[in-house]
Structure formats: C-alpha cells, structure tokens
C-alpha cells in the first residue's frame, strides 16, 4: 500500500506518520475542528455557519493556554453555543 500523497496546499507526505504530523502541525486548526466536533456531540445539533464565529472565539480565548483540553472544554461549556442550545431543550 502506497501511503504517500500530497495535501491541497502542496505539502507532501511519505507515510501515515508524516500525514498525521502534517495535520497536527496547525494547532489552531486542530483546536477549531476539535471544538466543532465536541460542540456537535455535546449539544446534539449540527454546527451551522453562524456558529463558526463562536467557535473561532472559543479557540482564540484558549490560545494563551496552548489550546489545552481543559481550556477548550471550559470555554465551550461557558459559551452561548453550548448554554443556549442545552437550555432550550
């Protein structure tokens, strides 16, 4: 199996380890994807286009803490994205 390839931005990888390293190299993007998936799981609703700004705010708020898991969880739990969705059910 040839696991090599190239991302859309032109960065090449030779195996799955290099692929994972490339994906994990952008911490902010990884944190944004994590928060979006976590919000979907926690609220039981899909993330809308309008929710993206709140997700970006959560990620920006946690940058100083290195996008730590605890910081991301706390920021999501205290955000209108989580509070308004869970209280309206």
């Amino acid at each position: 199996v040839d696991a090599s390839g190239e991302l859309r931005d032109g960065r090449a990888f030779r195996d799955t380890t290099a692929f994972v390293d490339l994906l994990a190299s952008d911490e902010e993007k990884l944190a944004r994807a994590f928060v979006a998936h976590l919000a979907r799981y926690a609220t039981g609703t899909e993330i809308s286009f309008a929710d993206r700004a709140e997700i970006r705010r959560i990620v920006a708020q946690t940058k100083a803490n290195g996008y730590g898991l605890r910081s991301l969880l706390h920021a999501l739990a205290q955000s209108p994205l989580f509070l308004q969705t869970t209280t309206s059910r």
Side-chain angles (χ1 to χ4, degrees):
V1 174
D2 180 13
S4 64
E6 187 175 299
L7 297 178
R8 281 195 244 174
D9 63 8
R11 294 181 293 167
F13 54 92
R14 66 186 179 292
D15 55 26
T16 55
T17 302
F19 177 65
V20 170
D21 290 343
L22 281 176
L23 293 179
S25 66
D26 188 345
E27 291 180 353
E28 183 177 343
K29 194 173 195 178
L30 189 62
R32 205 169 44 244
F34 176 75
V35 171
H37 288 290
L38 183 62
R40 185 180 308 118
Y41 176 77
T43 63
T45 61
E46 289 297 320
I47 300 303
S48 70
F49 183 78
D51 297 331
R52 291 181 186 178
E54 183 61 23
I55 290 172
R56 281 193 303 273
R57 189 197 63 76
I58 290 168
V59 171
Q61 177 183 339
T62 61
K63 183 176 183 175
N65 294 330
Y67 309 112
L69 181 60
R70 183 178 296 187
S71 298
L72 291 168
L73 288 170
H74 281 274
L76 175 62
Q78 296 169 355
S79 74
L81 182 64
F82 180 76
L83 294 173
Q84 292 174 0
T85 304
T86 57
T87 57
S88 64
R89 290 180 177 254

